[in-house]
Amino acid sequence: MPKWPNSPAGWGIYLDLDRLMEAFKGLDKAELQLELDNHFEHDFARLSFEEQNDWITRLASDLGLKASDLRKAAAKALFKSDFPGWSLAEVFMVAEMDDVTPEATGKMMFGWFRGNKGVAYKDENDRLLIAWKGKHIVVGRNQAFTDFLYSEGEVTFETPRVKRIVEAFKAESSLNSESAGKVAWVRSSRAAGTLYLHLNNSDGKIFKFDVNGVTTLDNGYNDERVFLKASPKVNQWSFTAVSIKEYREAIKLFDERILQLFACSDEDRLLYACWVLAYPFLEYVESRPHLRCEGPSSKGKSRAMDVVSRLVYGENRLKNPTEASNYNDAAQNPLLLIDNIETAQLTKELAQFILTAVSGVEREKMSADSSTSMVSLRARCIINTSGIDNLNRPELINRTIHIVFDVDKYGKKVWSQTFINLIGRDRDRLLSTHVHIIGNVVRRIANGGLKQWRDALQAKYPRHVLGRSLEYICIMALIADELVPVVMPKAKSDEVVDKWMIGQESYVGNIARESNPIVVAIETIFDDARKWRAIASPPKWPYELLCDGETLVGGSAQLVAMLTAAAKRASIHFPYNMPNLLSRRLKDAQGVLDDAGFVLLVGRDKNRKHDIFTISRKREASTKVTQIPKKKATGQKSKSEKNAN
């Protein structure tokens, strides 16, 4: 049989109704019934509404059957149909003519809806919505759904029958909903090599990226049933394809309008830009680094964030938010810009939010519509903060890229309203270039480019301080491959990435050592030990365990008390006040301790029940560690005390 045309007009010809009628006439009653059932289920729905009426009339006349019986059989089969080429008004008309119940009509309505590329889904608040012709409509008695019923089905809610039809349609949609609340501006499958983005393009279409290039699809109204929600903060823009010949000039424009306004080193300009441009790939990776703009006041930090905001959103979206707004913002928008946050303003809640967001962990909250149901929010964004100093939190240090700004040293252009206007004027072109870059990176990932960068960086930097975010950095490196030949023509992208890795390792490593309470406490103990041993008649040793300034040995319970006391002497808070907690944190801090000049070995006690830690300076020395016993009677000394003296 020839391929069916898109238009219903020719379906009667392709079905060859005359030949079908001759075949029916040669069958006995039982065989005819079977063939008619098969015909109604597989072929009948391909006829247009008018053709169906004519065909039933002809079947009844030529075969001597009742038209009402044929209509009932056809209606029963139509419940399974997706009604290609039909309007919803025609579906309702057939159902009413054949006395189909409202509930069965609701099923027919859903079959028509799904067959015409409609998608039903539930949002994060468990509301049922339909994606239809680029619109997202809550199912129920509201203006948008009323407009849908009237425009497609030529009915309103005024009759009891329509109300029952809608309830049945709602139930079918709920039972067959595509999602349980994860609809966002991005959807990707790294395994399949596909990436879908809703970037709020002015035509409402979504972008599909795969190894074959970039295509646009109707949102939710496409053969792949992909439906996305645009970020509510992204201002609309118009996409224009960038040809291969235009690509180099487009990147030059990107450099001039964006990168050259960052008051930092050339390598850090590129680092910042690649971090921003990689945001569409955040679902490709487990962890994405938070980026911190640092430097003295009025040195270009907020200006750089403003530039980034105007590129992504179309206006200044810098904020100083509340905790609740952070989670909602991060679930809906690709970039969160928190300006002027210093260590003093970094609350426990804000630190936890940043940690949750960069790790891609879901946060649950109580539904606004229920006192019992929970709603999950997953951050689908990258986070950019600014401040004079680093945030000085151990849990964030190795998840943060730090860039130091200094407009006096690195500023090339004087900031003015002119630059803001130029970014706005050229935003369509800049974002179209970004789309082209994304397409190239997706293709290179599919061809093994990400693996090549990962293998190279893991070999060069096996214990890098930003190791948790290595895959995101590899995507940044793939973007650097696109930009470096134009932006830094005398450099190579691997040389630039090496400078990123070495610079961040040095900067973050110093912060990690200075801010880690375990490192500070251990350094305090070893410094106290050297001072104590240098005094002829030293005062009472202030810790539970003795240390010769070179090596310290103890169990986690003993070290809790000792490190807490040392932290107090160093005027810092020591948060690890439980033996099991300290044991885990000590093991986790091995890399930082190594960078600080200490070697940590972990063993077990005689009964193999508890960890025993040996902490030594990185040079050969004799070990002399003694546990201070319980106090003896006045004037009586223990053997260990005599040896110590």
Side-chain angles (χ1 to χ4, degrees):
M1 184 178 291
K3 184 179 178 181
W4 294 109
N6 292 329
S7 170
W11 285 346
I13 298 171
Y14 286 92
L15 277 175
D16 198 349
L17 299 179
D18 291 335
R19 190 172 69 175
L20 196 58
M21 179 64 76
E22 290 301 317
F24 286 158
K25 288 179 178 179
L27 301 174
D28 61 32
K29 186 175 181 179
E31 291 174 332
L32 178 60
Q33 186 61 55
L34 288 173
E35 287 300 319
L36 283 173
D37 288 344
N38 183 65
H39 166 63
F40 285 137
E41 183 171 345
H42 295 98
D43 295 330
F44 187 72
R46 292 175 173 175
L47 298 173
S48 68
F49 176 67
E50 294 80 5
E51 288 173 330
Q52 285 188 356
N53 284 327
D54 293 342
W55 180 233
I56 285 179
T57 300
R58 184 179 172 189
L59 286 172
S61 174
D62 291 9
L63 300 177
L65 301 173
K66 290 183 179 181
S68 60
D69 291 341
L70 290 170
R71 289 188 185 282
K72 287 180 181 179
K76 182 179 179 181
L78 286 175
F79 291 153
K80 303 176 182 179
S81 171
D82 54 11
F83 302 97
W86 285 46
S87 70
L88 182 57
E90 290 173 338
V91 174
F92 287 158
M93 190 180 299
V94 167
E96 193 163 2
M97 287 174 57
D98 297 334
D99 295 324
V100 179
T101 66
E103 287 71 25
T105 304
K107 288 186 177 182
M108 294 170 66
M109 177 183 174
F110 182 75
W112 166 85
F113 169 76
R114 185 169 54 183
N116 287 277
K117 301 180 182 178
V119 178
Y121 68 97
K122 293 177 181 177
D123 70 3
E124 63 275 3
N125 292 314
D126 207 36
R127 296 183 307 167
L128 181 65
L129 293 91
I130 57 173
W132 180 253
K133 295 183 178 178
K135 296 180 180 179
H136 296 260
I137 305 168
V138 177
V139 179
R141 189 144 191 173
N142 59 75
Q143 190 59 53
F145 192 74
T146 299
D147 293 345
F148 163 74
L149 280 179
Y150 185 74
S151 61
E152 302 293 346
E154 299 178 8
V155 297
T156 66
F157 276 101
E158 295 308 313
T159 67
R161 176 179 172 81
V162 172
K163 293 176 183 176
R164 290 170 62 186
I165 290 172
V166 170
E167 284 302 311
F169 172 77
K170 187 175 181 179
E172 284 291 315
S173 300
S174 179
L175 291 170
N176 294 279
S177 57
E178 294 279 335
S179 174
K182 310 304 181 194
V183 182
W185 56 270
V186 58
R187 175 173 164 181
S188 59
S189 172
R190 180 169 161 182
T194 56
L195 172 64
Y196 301 89
L197 297 176
H198 195 328
L199 300 177
N200 211 14
N201 190 17
S202 58
D203 62 7
K205 293 181 181 293
I206 61 176
F207 292 98
K208 176 188 176 182
F209 303 85
D210 60 20
V211 70
N212 297 315
V214 185
T215 54
T216 57
L217 306 173
D218 290 324
N219 187 24
Y221 193 65
N222 53 73
D223 292 335
E224 299 174 51
R225 294 186 181 276
V226 176
F227 50 103
L228 302 173
K229 288 170 64 178
S231 160
K233 285 188 174 183
V234 175
N235 293 347
Q236 280 195 348
W237 61 286
S238 297
F239 171 70
T240 304
V242 178
S243 69
I244 296 175
K245 291 182 178 179
E246 297 170 325
Y247 188 47
R248 187 177 182 86
E249 290 303 315
I251 291 179
K252 282 184 179 179
L253 180 67
F254 195 92
D255 181 33
E256 183 178 345
R257 293 285 179 267
I258 305 299
L259 272 70
Q260 293 303 317
L261 299 182
F262 298 158
C264 52
S265 68
D266 288 341
E267 289 79 17
D268 282 348
R269 285 191 179 102
L270 199 63
L271 174 63
Y272 196 6
C274 291
W275 176 83
V276 173
L277 296 180
Y279 81 78
F281 296 92
L282 55 84
E283 287 193 344
Y284 268 52
V285 300
E286 293 289 332
S287 177
R288 50 268 191 182
H290 150 244
L291 189 137
R292 176 79 171 162
C293 299
E294 297 175 6
S297 180
S298 301
K299 294 297 182 180
K301 304 182 297 297
S302 298
R303 183 183 79 179
M305 293 172 69
D306 185 10
V307 169
V308 167
S309 181
R310 291 179 187 280
L311 171 69
V312 175
Y313 290 129
E315 60 182 286
N316 188 318
R317 293 286 190 178
L318 276 64
K319 61 185 286 188
N320 199 331
T322 63
E323 180 193 1
S325 71
N326 278 335
Y327 283 98
N328 290 325
D329 201 344
Q332 300 180 69
N333 302 296
L335 174 64
L336 196 58
L337 299 138
I338 306 176
D339 196 24
N340 293 321
I341 288 292
E342 305 297 346
T343 304
Q345 289 90 46
L346 185 66
T347 63
K348 181 180 179 181
E349 291 74 20
L350 180 56
Q352 185 61 39
F353 161 71
I354 296 175
L355 183 61
T356 299
V358 300
S359 303
V361 177
E362 285 192 351
R363 175 184 184 259
E364 288 191 335
K365 70 172 185 176
M366 195 71 71
S367 170
D369 303 325
S370 169
S371 60
T372 56
S373 63
M374 302 297 292
V375 174
S376 294
L377 292 176
R378 180 185 293 277
R380 289 181 174 86
C381 74
I382 53 176
I383 299 177
N384 188 179
T385 65
S386 71
I388 294 174
D389 298 315
N390 67 76
L391 291 178
N392 198 25
R393 289 291 179 89
E395 64 272 26
L396 294 179
I397 287 170
N398 58 1
R399 293 177 171 90
T400 300
I401 291 173
H402 299 259
I403 297 180
V404 177
F405 285 78
D406 187 341
V407 71
D408 297 328
K409 183 176 181 180
Y410 298 112
K412 292 185 178 180
K413 295 187 177 180
V414 179
W415 183 246
S416 70
Q417 185 65 38
T418 301
F419 292 108
I420 295 176
N421 295 339
L422 289 174
I423 294 171
R425 186 195 70 182
D426 294 329
R427 182 167 175 260
D428 289 352
R429 186 68 168 167
L430 296 171
L431 292 182
S432 296
T433 305
H434 187 199
V435 168
H436 196 99
I437 292 170
I438 295 168
N440 288 349
V441 171
V442 169
R443 185 171 60 253
R444 290 191 59 202
I445 290 174
N447 292 327
L450 178 59
K451 182 179 184 303
Q452 290 173 3
W453 268 111
R454 184 180 63 239
D455 291 347
L457 293 181
Q458 282 179 336
K460 276 188 176 182
Y461 310 102
R463 290 179 53 248
H464 196 274
V465 69
L466 293 176
R468 284 185 174 93
S469 303
L470 185 64
E471 293 225 322
Y472 193 90
I473 293 172
C474 289
I475 291 173
M476 292 166 55
L478 288 170
I479 296 172
D481 287 337
E482 300 291 314
L483 301 183
V484 167
V486 178
V487 175
M488 300 176 67
K490 295 182 180 180
K492 295 180 179 179
S493 56
D494 58 342
E495 297 171 347
V496 172
V497 174
D498 278 340
K499 289 183 178 180
W500 292 354
M501 301 297 284
I502 294 169
Q504 292 299 310
E505 177 73 32
S506 174
Y507 191 85
V508 177
N510 287 335
I511 297 171
R513 290 189 294 274
E514 292 170 3
S515 61
N516 190 298
I518 290 176
V519 174
V520 173
I522 288 173
E523 286 181 336
T524 300
I525 291 169
F526 277 68
D527 288 344
D528 285 345
R530 286 198 300 271
K531 294 174 184 176
W532 189 75
R533 289 175 62 82
I535 300 174
S537 299
K540 182 181 177 181
W541 178 243
Y543 305 111
E544 181 175 350
L545 299 176
L546 283 179
C547 172
D548 63 357
E550 300 297 333
T551 303
L552 173 65
V553 180
S556 53
Q558 297 165 316
L559 290 175
V560 164
M562 193 166 186
L563 296 183
T564 300
K568 185 176 181 180
R569 288 170 64 82
S571 301
I572 65 166
H573 172 64
F574 193 77
Y576 315 125
N577 55 4
M578 307 256 326
N580 287 339
L581 175 60
L582 178 61
S583 182
R584 290 194 298 270
R585 290 292 182 170
L586 274 168
K587 294 172 185 176
D588 186 61
Q590 277 185 299
V592 182
L593 285 168
D594 183 69
D595 291 340
F598 294 97
V599 176
L600 175 67
L601 301 176
V602 184
R604 303 291 281 180
D605 62 9
K606 292 181 180 179
N607 298 321
R608 304 195 64 78
K609 289 184 178 180
H610 304 290
D611 289 329
I612 298 295
F613 296 93
T614 301
I615 305 167
S616 305
R617 284 201 178 275
K618 282 186 177 179
R619 57 174 176 267
E620 292 184 5
S622 61
T623 302
K624 187 174 184 179
V625 183
T626 309
Q627 184 171 351
I628 297 178
K630 295 180 180 178
K631 287 185 177 181
K632 303 290 182 180
T634 305
Q636 191 176 6
K637 292 185 178 181
S638 69
K639 185 181 293 184
S640 61
E641 289 174 316
K642 292 177 181 177
N643 291 337
N645 291 329

